[in-house]
Amino acid sequence: MINVWGMTDIGLVRTENQDAYVVRSNEETGHLICVVCDGMGGHTGGRIASKLASEVFVDTCISNLRRDMSEQEVRSVAEFAVSAANSAVYERSREEEELRGMGTTLVSAIVWDGKAVLNNVGDSRAYLLRNIKSAQSAEESSIIRVTKDHSLVERLVDMGSITEEEARSHPDRNLITRALGPGDETISDSYTVSLNNWDCLLLCTDGLIDTVTDQEMEEEIRSCAGSSECLNRLLEISKSQGAADNVTAVLLLCVQ
């Protein structure tokens, strides 16, 4: 069984929430689909892009997933859904001048039978926490960042020019190198993880990442045993650190 919770908040600085998330279960096929998007572009463009991309992604998955699909088939559905979401945002941006160039990040999870296929475009992330019920010492952190950001600072980290800690406060940390919508095509990265009893997946936008450390995320998820309360606590921490951007997260807990 998968328990799932989500939250989104405008934060303390922005005048509009341009994040979006959708969670939907397909009881017929046994798949749970979750997606988180962080929009960008113009006064309303970001909000439209994230909402449209998240809805089209989930609708496309629901229409194409079938029971007893292989892992590779599910990955293909996810990649097709990303492409469909990109096309929807791109075509909408061409309809109105003020929406030109709008786009959005995307991070998603399709979960079934103890497995999850994750996809991402941009700098919204997926994290995996193993067995949140187990005792952990300070030296045994087990939060794993599954996805890789498509961003300028990620490239700098890969090159060894800056550290991951320096990337958190780098002035160009919000410059992404890949998004849904600005062009007629985009490519997502795809990952597959196994899910065991008391494992958690966290999907989130950079509004959370920029204000809450990986260690704080793990501490709150473990201390709240993966309940909705930990999302409230993560939002409180983010706001205590200024919450300059919208903050959105979806948390999944596997309980067998």
Side-chain angles (χ1 to χ4, degrees):
M1 180 177 70
I2 301 293
N3 295 327
V4 59
W5 305 274
M7 69 89 176
T8 187
D9 191 272
I10 196 171
L12 300 177
V13 176
R14 303 291 190 188
T15 58
E16 181 179 57
N17 191 345
Q18 296 194 340
D19 287 358
Y21 77 89
V22 177
V23 175
R24 197 178 304 169
S25 177
N26 188 336
E27 295 183 3
E28 182 179 340
T29 67
H31 297 93
L32 174 68
I33 303 108
C34 306
V35 62
V36 169
C37 293
D38 180 357
M40 59 187 186
H43 179 61
T44 60
R47 175 176 55 80
I48 292 172
S50 63
K51 184 175 187 293
L52 181 59
S54 58
E55 291 176 349
V56 170
F57 177 86
V58 171
D59 288 345
T60 304
C61 288
I62 292 292
S63 297
N64 289 276
L65 288 169
R66 300 288 182 268
R67 187 174 293 277
D68 299 324
M69 274 186 161
S70 68
E71 176 188 313
Q72 184 55 52
E73 287 173 325
V74 174
R75 288 171 72 115
S76 295
V77 169
E79 290 164 1
F80 177 67
V82 169
S83 180
N86 182 79
S87 295
V89 175
Y90 177 71
E91 292 301 327
R92 179 64 191 279
S93 74
R94 292 167 58 83
E95 294 174 1
E96 301 177 47
E97 183 65 33
E98 61 269 27
L99 299 181
R100 293 292 172 89
M102 73 176 181
T104 181
T105 69
L106 178 145
V107 62
S108 64
I110 302 177
V111 183
W112 82 108
D113 294 342
K115 296 184 290 291
V117 165
L118 309 173
N119 285 71
N120 79 299
V121 179
D123 61 355
S124 294
R125 293 180 182 175
Y127 289 89
L128 173 66
L129 291 88
R130 292 293 189 196
N131 194 359
I132 62 168
K133 278 289 193 178
S134 66
Q136 296 284 311
S137 70
E139 294 77 26
E140 294 177 329
S141 175
S142 62
I143 185 168
I144 303 162
R145 174 153 64 108
V146 179
T147 54
K148 190 174 184 63
D149 296 347
H150 304 125
S151 67
L152 176 62
V153 294
E154 190 83 324
R155 287 182 178 176
L156 294 175
V157 170
D158 288 345
M159 293 166 55
S161 301
I162 61 174
T163 66
E164 289 192 12
E165 186 57 33
E166 289 170 335
R168 290 177 55 82
S169 57
H170 195 280
D172 294 329
R173 64 186 179 278
N174 295 319
L175 294 180
I176 59 176
T177 57
R178 199 186 298 179
L180 290 181
D184 59 354
E185 293 183 357
T186 195
I187 299 173
S188 66
D189 291 340
S190 186
Y191 309 83
T192 302
V193 298
S194 62
L195 291 176
N196 303 311
N197 198 28
W198 292 105
D199 287 351
C200 276
L201 281 174
L202 177 69
L203 312 181
C204 58
T205 60
D206 65 346
L208 182 68
I209 297 159
D210 287 347
T211 50
V212 183
T213 67
D214 292 3
Q215 291 71 31
E216 288 171 328
M217 292 181 195
E218 179 178 13
E219 289 171 5
E220 292 303 326
I221 292 172
R222 288 189 180 279
S223 65
C224 297
S227 70
S228 60
E229 180 58 28
C230 73
L231 291 185
N232 296 332
R233 285 286 302 125
L234 291 176
L235 179 58
E236 289 176 9
I237 295 171
S238 180
K239 288 185 172 181
S240 74
Q241 299 295 329
D245 201 353
N246 310 144
V247 182
T248 302
V250 169
L251 181 68
L252 300 92
L253 170 64
C254 182
V255 181
Q256 297 176 356

